[in-house]
Each structure stands twice: as structure tokens, then as C-alpha cells.
Amino acid sequence: MEVNETKLTLNGNGACRSETESERECDKVKQDWQGAVIKDKSIWFTAKCGSHEVAQVRFNPIVASISVLLIAAFVTYCIVDTDNAGQVFKDAKLTVSKQFTWLYIGSFDLWAVALLVIYFSKYGNMKLGKDDDEIEYPDGSWFCMLFACGVGVGLFFYGVGEPINHYTRPNRYTADRYMPDNMVAQNAINQTFYHWGLHPWVTYGVMGIVLAFMTFRKGLPMTMKSCFYPLIGDRIYGWMGNVIDIMSVITTVFGVCTSLGLGTMQLNAGLNYIFPSIEKNTLTQVLIIWIVMAIATISVVSGVGVGVRRLSEICFGVGMFLLMAIFFLEDTWFLINLFCQSIGYYIQNFLGLGFRTDAFELTGIKSSLETDRGRLYAAGDEATDGLTDGPENWMDDWTIFYWGWWVAWSPFVGMFIAKISKGRTIKEFINGALTAPMIYSFLWLTIFGGSALRNEKFAAQQLSSHNLHYCCPASPDYLDWDRAKKDDSTWTATLVANLKTTYQTKTGRYDADSVVQCTKDMIKLWQDEWAEGDSNTLADFESFYKVTKNRYKMSMSEDKSSVRLSCLDLDDMWFALMYTKGKLGTVLSVVSLFGIILYFVTSADSGSLVIDIMAANGDQNPPRLQRVFWAMVEGAAATALLIAGGKEALSAVQTASIVSGLPYSIIMSFLVVSLWRGLAMEHGDLNPYGADFSIGIIDPFATWNPSLWVQFGKNIFLTPRVLYDTNMRQGGGKTGSMMFAISASLLWLLWIILHIVEIEVPGCYAIAWICYIGFATIITSFRASVRSEFDINGNPVEDFFASLLVYPSVAIQLETAPEKHGLATLVPRNEVSNGTAQNGTNGTHCHTGLVIENGASNHEQ
């Protein structure tokens, strides 16, 4: 259907207004947008061998091939130069933390406000689909799937470890030695609630809503580029859309690799705890990866309705069993009190935590007033040899780590949630995808985290009573086994001779003396009581000490009813807590192991499906061969990294995926604007066919148009002349126009000159950028006046950032007369039969609204 040009303009808020035609004609244009799906123009490659679905492939050749090549190149780099890669990405992450914490923190808060506004607006009752679409999955199954996909594995890994870390490690709370211990424990829960509460689900919610809206209501493919259609229209089918999808595929693959790494380490720790003969090593971890990926492949081939759905329901059931078991086996009344108290603290501190950036801590400045005031400052406690692991790095290690992780995972989780949310209203989506998971996460963290903190506090009390147990022996990696073997007669002393230095160098912590003493005590205790008969040689002790459960005997009470969890690795804390439950400890550990495996599998299979959908232009039912391929890519990448670089290589990928969250957070901020415009157009509050500039801001980059490139290049230098012409065209006098042009020229020249002077006079760059902002402000005023003249939708904030970032494009807009044109190429719904439209040009086939190029496809969704 062709949409005829109409003599319509926009009023101040962008709503439709007719000057020469009736209001009914204006309403008709709105209905054309509301009653039509948008034609897809994606590039496809299709091939098949025979008629069986297994032998078919169909995907976007650009997105799929470039993604695979970049993943292979990145993995190769991490394998070949593991140490350098790890350091490069650590430095990048630290830079992000110190310079862009404000952007991460502010973006998450902005998205939360945006969802709150949408929830209570008139758009809240809009369906994510056609008005007559029914909900595909019942509420229970829907919640199980979104929870398993979103945070399942992470809550097992961090549910015990994070509160313990915040309670015992240097941070903004432990830095205050006058803060009561109980308040430090409560703050540990508060901080954990903040990291797992509303904010991660806001990220997933924004992505899920816009994807579901553009896919199920507007007929666009379920891929990341579709989210930006209300902003850039058909340009999403060019290189910019491909770049967005490639970034999404890569970050999702690395995000799943991160999950594989965390899950594998914890599974290996659990197996070692239950079956000490299963060692914690690379071979075991590789076997775990491929067993999990085999199960995940079977699940993803089975589809969402069978494999993923049923696995998620079982996962949730296992989690509920563990949750209720610990709830009743622990001090139940303590946990109820803690939940009630922690919810209150979360509400009370929501804004303070939500906007906290650790501004002073990140400076790393060690105050000279530390001694005078008798308290700790940003550098932490430097009581031991000047070493510190103080809170200046805490934000980088925790909040920025999480925020980057959530953003990097948002394409994966958001797309999966969108896929299972067809037919729900926006309000139903927000209630189910934000409120319910947040409350369940709070329950989980209260029960497991609260139990862990109670154990830790009890252990600390016993330690203060000089109980030999509850101390922390050193990791086997910190002991000098080779040197001790050379002098077997004095191995008990040689083994720990350099332990203090090694421990401080590798950990940067200041508790080396207590660790050394605990290790010595354990050696003596082993010789006096634990060794069997004459089996008290160095080799016997090495075999004993390297078994995790044996080493942690020093951290547990004799009856194993309590444990000092802060002595343990994050991988081991969960299972150590389970073992404090007496004879049921083994049962709970086995059930935990089963639950982690299932959550692990659901993350991997949903990740494989989402990656395939993105690489297949949003095809929601991609061929099974492709699903298997992407599952194998994930497993192969994780295996190669683990074998070649070990935990360090996986950490490099993890850190890289988190760093990639920074540009993605900027993309998501534009996505929020896109969502609001799409909802406004769908509701009829914004006319998509009103007056507009003759070119878009990004057209010089998004289109193959050499003349635009020439104009863009020319306007880098001649924008003041454009301002002169524009002011003259609007009726301004020659003198006034000349003053605008001269002012803009001077500011632009000063921007260039002062950057050159910076070489000799440090600090001139600051004045240079002030001049540039003034230059951009002048351009902003002209763009705003042209918008007002032609009733073009927009606002001063958009004008300013457009002028600041791409002023040559704004100059092109000003020097060319605005035109009235449509935003979209539309296919009326009455021309779409059973989700399939036919396009007769050049024999191209259109299936379910998809234009298939470079091949044909006969599939149906």
C-alpha cells in the first residue's frame, strides 16, 4: 500500500494537525500506521539439501559471518596472549569505573524512571501484540522461564558469597571502624539487594518491551536493530543495523561464556566437596562444559515450548525446595525478621544507593588526617607493610561489574523475555518481569545470605574466644611445595617460609599474619592428630591439603554445624553452607548440584536460541542445524579459553563483555527514546508522516550517497556560512546574520587553536571545549528555530546533542528545505494472510513480513 502525501503538520507536542484537510483525513493517516505492519528488508542467505528441516539453513550472511570471525579472533587473542589480554581488559574496566561510573549509574536510574512513567501512562494497557492476541504461556511457566534465563546461575554463585564479601572485605562500610558490627552485616544485605533488585530487571524490561512491541505489534523481525525503527526508520537495514546485531551476538556469546565459566567453577567445587576424588582441574571443567552443552543442545533443538519451558519449571522447583529447606532448618524467626527489616532498608536507601558513585573513594587519595581522626579512609587499612585492598576498587569489583554484566546480557535476556511475552500488556509485562523476580530474589538473598552472615558472625565470636577452628589456611597455590620437596627433613618450616610475601603479593590483603599462623597450626594439627600412622610425610600432607574439604576443617566447628565462610573461595561457599545442616548436608549439596546444572543448562540453551535468532534476522523458529552450531560455538569458545588460558582467559572474556556494556548503555538510552516514540505513534499522539528535515542526522554515515559525504566534509569548515544563509532566509538582517557567522567562526577556530596551544600550555584544552560548546549552542538555536518554522517534531535537548556530536549533518539539514515524507514502507494488515505477504518484485518472496533476498525460503513460523 502506498501512503499518499498529505498536507499535515505537527502541533507543539507532535500530534497530528490538519490545515487544509479534514480531521478525519488526519485520523486516517494515524490509522494507517496503527493498522499496518512494517515491511522487513533484511538480507538473507538460504540453502537446503532435500525437504527435511534438519538440512536447511537461513541467516543474515553479514551478521553471522562477521560475528563468527570476530569471536574466533578475540578468543585466539585471549589464548595466545592471556596475560596481556587480561591486563588490557582489567585496565579498560578500571578506566570505565573511574571515568564513567556516573554514566552507568545514571543510565540505570533513567531507565527505571522511564519504565515507571510508561507503567502509569496511557500506554501501559497497550498489548505487546495485536489487540486480539492471546497470552502464549501461563503465568507460572512464564515466570519460571524468565527467572531461569535472567539470574538463576548467578544467585547460586553469589547468593552466599556476596553478602559475606561485603561483610568481611574492605569497602565503604567496613572502612568505618565505629560502625556497629550488626549494622555492617545489615549493610551487606542492603548492598546485595541493590545489586540484584530492581536495577538488573529494569535493563531486561526495557529491552524486552521494545522488542516485543516492534515484533508482535509492528511486524518487524525479532532482532536488536528493530528496536531503533521509530528513530531511524529503514536505515536499520543498512550497515548500522548490522553493527548493532553483530555487537549483540558477540556480547551474548561472551556473556554465555562468562556464565559457563562461573557455573563450571562452582559445579567443579561442588563435585569436589561431595566426591573428593573428583579434582578441581581443567579436565574436569572441560567435561562439565560439554556435558552441559550437550543437554542444552537437546533442549534448544526441542524448542521453547518443550525443552526450555519444562527445564525452567524443574529448575524453579529445585530452587524452591532448597529455599524452603534452609528457611526451616535455619533460625526461621531470624530470617523472617531479616526479610522484613531488609525490605525497609532497601526502600529507605533506594535513592541513596541508586545514585552512589563512590566519588571520593575512586580518587584513591590517602588522607593525611587519617591518624588524627582515628578512622579509615579511601585507601583502606595499611597496617601491614603498606599493603591495602581498600574500597577505592570496590565499585569496580562489584557495582560496575554487575551493571556491565546486566547491560551485556540485556540483548540475550531481553530478547528471550520478549519471545515468551506475546499477548501481554505492558503493565502485565512490567509486573511480571520486574516486580515478581525482584521479590523472589530478595527472598533468596535473605534466606541464603542471611544464613551465611549468621554463620560468619558466630564463627567470628568463637575465633575471638581463641578457638583453634574458624581460622583461614592459605590456598595450596601459595605454599612453596617445590622448595619443601628439596629438603624433606625440614619441610614443615620451608613450606611456609615465603607464605607471607606470596600471599600479600597475590592477594594484596593485609591479613597475611593470621593466614600464616592458621596454616602452621593446621600442619601441626595434621601431624599430631589427623595423620594416619606413619603417613605424615610431605607427600601425604600435600594430598590431604589439596582436598578442599580437608583444608576447610580449620574453618569449621568440630561438629560442622558452623563455618567461617570468609575463609573460603566464592566457588565453595554455597556447598560449605549446605554442609552445616548435619546429615542433610550431603542431600542438600546433591540437590544444589542438580539445580545448578539445570540453571546452567537453561542459560546455555536460551542463549543459543537467542544468538541464532539474532543471526537469522529475527526468525523466531530458526533451523535446528543453526541452533546446534551456535551451541557448539559457545562450548568451543569456553573450552579453548579454559584449556589454553585457564581461569585467567575466561576472566579476560568476562571483563571484555563487561567493558562492552559501556557503549551498549548509550545504545540503550537511545532505545528508551525509540520506545516512547513508537508507543506515541501507535497510540496516535505522534504523526509518523509529518514534516521532517530532508535528511536524517545519521544519513551521511548510513547511506551510500557520495554527494552527502561531500556536503558533510564541506560543512566541517563552512557551517558558519550555512548559519548566515539560514538567518537571511528566515528574514534576519544582514548585520545580524553576519554577527552569528563571525561568532561561530571565532569559537570554532579557538577550539582548534587552543588544542594546538595545549602542547605548550597545559590546560588550554578546557577552554577549547568551552568554545566548542558555545559553537554547538549557536547551531542548536538555529536548528530549534527551523523546527519551529516547519512544525518538525523534536526538542531542544535533541537539537543540542545533534549539534554537539554531528554539527556538519545539522548544517546540511539547515541548508536544505525540509520535506514532508513518511517514515515507513507499510503493508496493510488486510493484505497479510496467515502472517505471509507476497511481494511481486523481481521474484522476491516475503514470508511472515520478511523480505528474503539472495535466496528464497519456504518456511513458516
Side-chain angles (χ1 to χ4, degrees):
M1 183 190 84
E2 293 185 0
V3 180
N4 296 324
E5 291 188 2
T6 59
K7 297 178 181 178
L8 300 176
T9 59
L10 302 174
N11 61 23
N13 61 8
C16 194
R17 184 184 77 220
S18 176
E19 292 179 341
T20 60
E21 299 185 5
S22 66
E23 287 295 331
R24 285 179 297 177
E25 195 66 26
C26 185
D27 291 338
K28 181 179 182 301
V29 175
K30 295 180 187 176
Q31 291 164 6
D32 286 339
W33 166 264
Q34 295 165 341
V37 296
I38 303 167
K39 184 187 295 183
D40 182 27
K41 301 174 183 178
S42 300
I43 298 174
W44 284 85
F45 173 84
T46 63
K48 61 181 179 179
C49 181
S51 59
H52 200 280
E53 199 269 343
V54 174
Q56 297 181 15
V57 293
R58 52 180 182 272
F59 55 85
N60 184 317
I62 297 174
V63 172
S65 58
I66 294 179
S67 296
V68 171
L69 289 174
L70 290 176
I71 291 167
F74 185 83
V75 170
T76 302
Y77 169 57
C78 291
I79 291 172
V80 172
D81 196 2
T82 300
D83 293 338
N84 187 54
Q87 191 59 48
V88 166
F89 294 121
K90 281 181 184 176
D91 292 344
K93 181 165 164 278
L94 190 59
T95 299
V96 168
S97 176
K98 290 191 174 182
Q99 298 182 8
F100 295 101
T101 293
W102 62 272
L103 180 60
Y104 265 132
I105 299 297
S107 296
F108 273 70
D109 294 331
L110 174 68
W111 305 335
V113 170
L115 283 188
L116 189 67
V117 170
I118 291 172
Y119 183 89
F120 289 105
S121 72
K122 54 190 172 184
Y123 308 137
N125 294 319
M126 191 179 294
K127 265 197 174 184
L128 299 175
K130 303 172 188 176
D131 291 335
D132 56 353
D133 280 343
E134 298 293 330
I135 294 174
E136 289 188 338
Y137 299 100
D139 292 344
S141 297
W142 181 63
F143 176 76
C144 290
M145 285 191 285
L146 69 88
F147 187 80
C149 171
V151 297
V153 171
L155 281 178
F156 272 95
F157 193 83
Y158 289 108
V160 171
E162 184 175 350
I164 292 297
N165 194 288
H166 297 331
Y167 176 60
T168 60
R169 298 288 190 267
N171 56 59
R172 66 176 75 117
Y173 305 116
T174 57
D176 183 354
R177 58 171 57 116
Y178 297 116
M179 181 176 287
D181 185 73
N182 288 336
M183 195 65 237
V184 176
Q186 181 59 61
N187 282 328
I189 290 289
N190 298 346
Q191 195 67 47
T192 308
F193 271 24
Y194 169 54
H195 289 155
W196 293 88
L198 178 68
H199 288 78
W201 294 101
V202 162
T203 314
Y204 302 155
V206 167
M207 190 71 74
I209 289 174
V210 68
L211 270 170
F213 171 76
M214 297 308 299
T215 300
F216 299 129
R217 195 165 185 96
K218 301 310 301 175
L220 281 169
M222 183 172 280
T223 186
M224 290 304 303
K225 64 188 179 189
S226 299
C227 299
F228 299 91
Y229 193 89
L231 286 182
I232 62 176
D234 285 347
R235 299 175 190 87
I236 64 170
Y237 302 115
W239 69 267
M240 299 185 74
N242 288 332
V243 167
I244 291 171
D245 282 346
I246 290 168
M247 283 183 60
S248 302
V249 169
I250 292 172
T251 54
T252 302
V253 169
F254 291 155
V256 173
C257 280
T258 298
S259 179
L260 283 170
L262 292 176
T264 298
M265 302 297 179
Q266 192 172 29
L267 283 173
N268 196 178
L271 288 169
N272 178 258
Y273 233 95
I274 300 169
F275 310 105
S277 59
I278 299 177
E279 297 182 6
K280 294 173 71 173
N281 56 33
T282 300
L283 177 60
T284 304
Q285 291 160 7
V286 169
L287 289 173
I288 290 171
I289 285 176
W290 284 105
I291 290 171
V292 167
M293 291 310 301
I295 301 171
T297 301
I298 295 170
S299 173
V300 76
V301 167
S302 302
V304 175
V306 180
V308 178
R309 174 182 176 181
R310 298 309 176 196
L311 273 177
S312 299
E313 291 170 348
I314 296 171
C315 282
F316 189 76
V318 171
M320 282 300 299
F321 171 80
L322 291 169
L323 195 76
M324 299 307 295
I326 299 299
F327 178 71
F328 289 114
L329 290 170
E330 265 290 337
D331 185 340
T332 302
W333 304 115
F334 160 72
L335 294 176
I336 293 173
N337 284 332
L338 181 61
F339 181 75
C340 180
Q341 177 173 290
S342 299
I343 291 294
Y345 272 108
Y346 180 76
I347 296 171
Q348 175 188 347
N349 297 315
F350 180 80
L351 290 178
L353 285 173
F355 285 89
R356 175 108 189 206
T357 61
D358 272 7
F360 289 108
E361 288 82 353
L362 287 173
T363 64
I365 297 174
K366 302 173 179 63
S367 175
S368 60
L369 299 178
E370 181 174 343
T371 304
D372 297 339
R373 296 185 183 179
R375 57 195 295 122
L376 284 151
Y377 275 75
D381 190 346
E382 300 189 23
T384 305
D385 297 338
L387 291 170
T388 177
D389 59 349
E392 74 274 14
N393 292 326
W394 184 90
M395 179 66 73
D396 177 61
D397 291 339
W398 287 99
T399 303
I400 296 303
F401 163 78
Y402 274 127
W403 271 213
W405 195 10
W406 302 141
V407 173
W409 268 54
S410 59
F412 156 38
V413 180
M415 183 175 291
F416 183 79
I417 296 175
K419 181 173 173 58
I420 62 176
S421 300
K422 182 179 180 180
R424 295 181 183 273
T425 66
I426 291 176
K427 277 189 177 179
E428 290 172 339
F429 182 98
I430 292 175
N431 285 333
L434 271 74
T435 310
M438 178 178 67
I439 293 173
Y440 184 79
S441 297
F442 287 167
L443 276 171
W444 185 281
L445 295 168
T446 297
I447 291 173
F448 292 107
S451 300
L453 287 171
R454 198 178 76 87
N455 261 278
E456 182 69 20
K457 286 174 68 65
F458 177 79
Q461 183 184 49
Q462 295 298 309
L463 186 63
S464 66
S465 302
H466 306 290
N467 192 320
L468 181 60
H469 292 276
Y470 304 111
C471 68
C472 303
S475 167
D477 297 335
Y478 302 158
L479 301 181
D480 197 345
W481 300 100
D482 293 335
R483 184 181 174 192
K485 289 173 184 176
K486 292 178 182 178
D487 191 0
D488 193 60
S489 61
T490 60
W491 67 266
T492 55
T494 306
L495 192 62
V496 297
N498 297 318
L499 176 57
K500 181 176 179 179
T501 302
T502 304
Y503 180 82
Q504 289 176 337
T505 301
K506 291 191 175 183
T507 67
R509 292 175 57 184
Y510 50 83
D511 57 345
D513 289 333
S514 63
V515 171
V516 172
Q517 186 59 50
C518 186
T519 307
K520 290 179 179 179
D521 290 342
M522 185 171 181
I523 294 173
K524 188 174 187 306
L525 193 62
W526 178 79
Q527 288 180 317
D528 295 344
E529 299 182 21
W530 295 345
E532 298 179 2
D534 296 330
S535 301
N536 59 357
T537 65
L538 173 61
D540 295 324
F541 179 73
E542 183 177 11
S543 299
F544 175 86
Y545 195 79
K546 289 187 175 180
V547 175
T548 302
K549 194 157 55 174
N550 292 340
R551 190 166 66 258
Y552 291 154
K553 281 184 178 182
M554 297 299 291
S555 308
M556 289 184 170
S557 61
E558 291 189 44
D559 61 0
K560 300 181 181 179
S561 62
S562 60
V563 58
R564 190 179 176 197
L565 292 165
S566 59
C567 295
L568 281 59
D569 294 333
L570 273 174
D571 304 341
D572 299 314
M573 287 186 187
W574 178 277
F575 294 98
L577 181 65
M578 296 301 108
Y579 265 93
T580 62
K581 305 310 168 192
K583 294 181 179 179
L584 287 176
T586 302
V587 175
L588 293 175
S589 295
V590 171
V591 174
S592 296
L593 205 60
F594 180 64
I596 293 169
I597 291 172
L598 289 182
Y599 272 115
F600 199 4
V601 169
T602 53
S603 293
D605 62 12
S606 52
S608 301
L609 180 61
V610 164
I611 293 167
D612 192 12
I613 290 173
M614 286 191 286
N617 282 326
D619 183 353
Q620 296 181 56
N621 187 29
R624 294 178 179 176
L625 188 60
Q626 291 171 205
R627 304 184 201 185
V628 174
F629 170 77
W630 285 108
M632 295 301 102
V633 167
E634 294 168 3
T639 301
L641 290 165
L642 197 58
I643 291 175
K647 192 173 182 179
E648 290 74 18
L650 279 172
S651 296
V653 173
Q654 179 188 48
T655 306
S657 69
I658 293 164
V659 170
S660 71
L662 179 66
Y664 229 102
S665 65
I666 298 172
I667 290 174
M668 283 196 61
S669 296
F670 283 105
L671 187 147
V672 170
V673 177
S674 180
L675 172 61
W676 183 262
R677 287 196 175 179
L679 294 174
M681 288 190 287
E682 187 68 10
H683 197 271
D685 296 330
L686 189 65
N687 177 18
Y689 309 111
D692 201 355
F693 289 107
S694 58
I695 71 155
I697 286 293
I698 62 171
D699 279 1
F701 315 103
T703 59
W704 184 265
N705 190 335
S707 64
L708 271 184
W709 304 343
V710 172
Q711 283 182 284
F712 187 91
K714 178 191 69 175
N715 285 333
I716 292 175
F717 306 99
L718 299 182
T719 292
R721 175 57 189 264
V722 175
L723 300 181
Y724 174 86
D725 292 340
T726 302
N727 196 61
M728 289 293 291
R729 187 172 64 244
Q730 290 180 324
K734 188 173 182 179
T735 302
S737 301
M738 187 64 70
M739 289 300 298
F740 277 119
I742 293 173
S743 300
S745 299
L746 286 175
L747 289 170
W748 186 85
L749 285 171
L750 282 171
W751 174 54
I752 301 295
I753 293 169
L754 287 170
H755 271 98
I756 298 172
V757 176
E758 170 72 17
I759 299 172
E760 295 295 332
V761 185
C764 286
Y765 77 93
I767 302 174
W769 283 107
I770 293 173
C771 293
Y772 182 77
I773 291 172
F775 170 71
T777 302
I778 294 175
I779 301 173
T780 299
S781 66
F782 275 84
R783 190 175 193 268
S785 67
V786 170
R787 277 197 308 99
S788 176
E789 179 184 358
F790 289 93
D791 282 329
I792 298 172
N793 181 58
N795 59 70
V797 176
E798 291 179 7
D799 295 333
F800 175 73
F801 280 103
S803 303
L804 186 72
L805 300 175
V806 281
Y807 72 86
S809 290
V810 175
I812 299 175
Q813 290 181 331
L814 296 178
E815 66 182 342
T816 55
E819 299 173 356
K820 295 182 179 182
H821 59 82
L823 172 69
T825 303
L826 300 175
V827 180
R829 291 199 189 278
N830 58 17
E831 292 182 17
V832 180
S833 175
N834 298 323
T836 304
Q838 297 296 329
N839 183 341
T841 60
N842 300 324
T844 302
H845 292 79
C846 182
H847 293 271
T848 63
L850 299 178
V851 177
I852 313 299
E853 298 178 3
N854 301 331
S857 172
N858 295 318
H859 73 282
E860 291 192 17
Q861 294 180 358

